[in-house]
Amino acid sequence: QENALAVEPGNYKVKTKGGVLNIRTDPSRESVSIIKVENGTPLRGVESQPGWAKVEYNGVTGWVNSFYLEAAE
């Protein structure tokens, strides 16, 4: 997706404009959703692939569409 964030290891938060974001098992829209997180939820970025970011949240590690992340201050 255009304007997707290139994720470096660090702190991020979800920016979905009120919706929820799926944390998935693999970097694919067809993969299983492990958990859904709300707008503004803090996540830890681990690594990235084009358009996707591997994140950690409350002991869960999975993939999110990096378009819906922004760097946390």
Side-chain angles (χ1 to χ4, degrees):
Q1 227 172 0
E2 273 188 56
N3 301 321
L5 191 63
V7 173
E8 301 287 331
N11 296 313
Y12 295 86
K13 63 183 176 179
V14 177
K15 59 157 187 162
T16 56
K17 297 182 181 168
V20 294
L21 180 63
N22 290 298
I23 298 180
R24 299 182 179 277
T25 55
D26 295 293
S28 163
R29 291 179 66 190
E30 285 73 45
S31 66
V32 175
S33 174
I34 305 167
I35 190 172
K36 295 179 189 306
V37 291
E38 307 252 335
N39 185 49
T41 301
L43 303 172
R44 175 98 184 137
V46 179
E47 64 178 277
S48 67
Q49 291 186 8
W52 292 88
K54 189 173 194 178
V55 298
E56 295 174 345
Y57 171 72
N58 279 1
V60 172
T61 301
W63 293 87
V64 298
N65 184 323
S66 59
F67 180 79
Y68 298 106
L69 292 181
E70 66 182 359
E73 296 180 12

